Amino acid sequence: MNKRGQIDISFGMIFSIILIIAVVGVAFYVINNFIELKKCTEIGLFYDDLKKYTNEAWQSTIHKDTFKGTLPSGIDIACFGDLNQEPIAEYRQEYDAISRAFINSKERNVFLYPIKKACDASLSSIKLEHVKTDNFFCVKVEDSKIALKTEKNQFEALVTLSP
């Protein structure tokens, strides 16, 4: 007794299965790119809001308030200050990683950490005008929110940022 099983699938059925797999793969790729684009856009909007806020504070005579911004998930810490300044001891590890990554970009003063989660190198740090810090410090991002204290007295030329 020599019995054999036979599966009879037509070429059209095989082609349809391959086509469905390809469409699903492309759909996942496109959705992933839109999610990454959303993160990059949120970072750009955060920088725009921060620049607008500090410029308004700089133009005012007296200012004391807290900037509240939103960052995408994955960004744990936002750091502020000149890389030549001494960091607060609590954030020494982040300072070391940031100063290694931005060894040729000493003019920047706002950094997002971890650097790899901030889309690309151009969005992981910026130069914020009209501000100063007493030392290099970081602010934790909690529930995608950040709070940064800002202050400018009547006879000061720059807005002071503090944790």
Side-chain angles (χ1 to χ4, degrees):
M1 302 249 172
N2 204 357
K3 292 185 178 181
R4 291 166 77 186
Q6 182 178 359
I7 298 176
D8 191 20
I9 299 177
S10 68
F11 174 75
M13 180 67 88
I14 294 171
F15 184 73
S16 296
I17 292 170
I18 291 171
L19 192 60
I20 290 170
I21 292 170
V23 167
V24 169
V26 169
F28 279 119
Y29 176 77
V30 168
I31 290 169
N32 188 37
N33 279 347
F34 274 121
I35 290 171
E36 288 300 315
L37 180 63
K38 179 183 179 260
K39 287 182 180 181
C40 296
T41 303
E42 286 177 350
I43 291 172
L45 291 173
F46 168 77
Y47 285 147
D48 288 345
D49 292 345
L50 183 59
K51 285 179 183 179
K52 181 180 176 187
Y53 182 86
T54 55
N55 282 336
E56 288 173 1
W58 175 67
Q59 291 172 350
S60 67
T61 306
I62 297 173
H63 171 86
K64 186 173 184 173
D65 202 1
T66 301
F67 169 77
K68 294 179 180 159
T70 303
L71 284 166
S73 61
I75 304 296
D76 300 330
I77 295 172
C79 297
F80 302 87
D82 188 354
L83 291 176
N84 295 324
Q85 292 176 315
E86 188 64 27
I88 293 176
E90 181 182 353
Y91 297 106
R92 177 54 110 175
Q93 179 181 355
E94 290 83 358
Y95 173 81
D96 291 340
I98 289 168
S99 42
R100 278 193 306 273
F102 295 101
I103 196 162
N104 295 324
S105 301
K106 298 289 185 186
E107 72 279 351
R108 296 179 183 220
N109 58 4
V110 178
F111 306 92
L112 299 180
Y113 186 85
I115 298 165
K116 292 181 181 180
K117 298 282 184 170
C119 292
D120 58 18
S122 66
L123 284 177
S124 59
S125 67
I126 62 164
K127 169 69 173 163
L128 194 60
E129 301 291 331
H130 316 298
V131 298
K132 68 175 182 170
T133 58
D134 294 332
N135 52 12
F136 187 90
F137 68 91
C138 298
V139 178
K140 290 185 180 180
V141 178
E142 296 176 0
D143 295 328
S144 297
K145 304 283 184 207
I146 183 174
L148 176 68
K149 294 178 185 171
T150 58
E151 183 176 358
K152 180 181 178 263
N153 292 326
Q154 185 174 2
F155 300 108
E156 290 181 337
L158 300 174
V159 177
T160 303
L161 305 178
S162 60

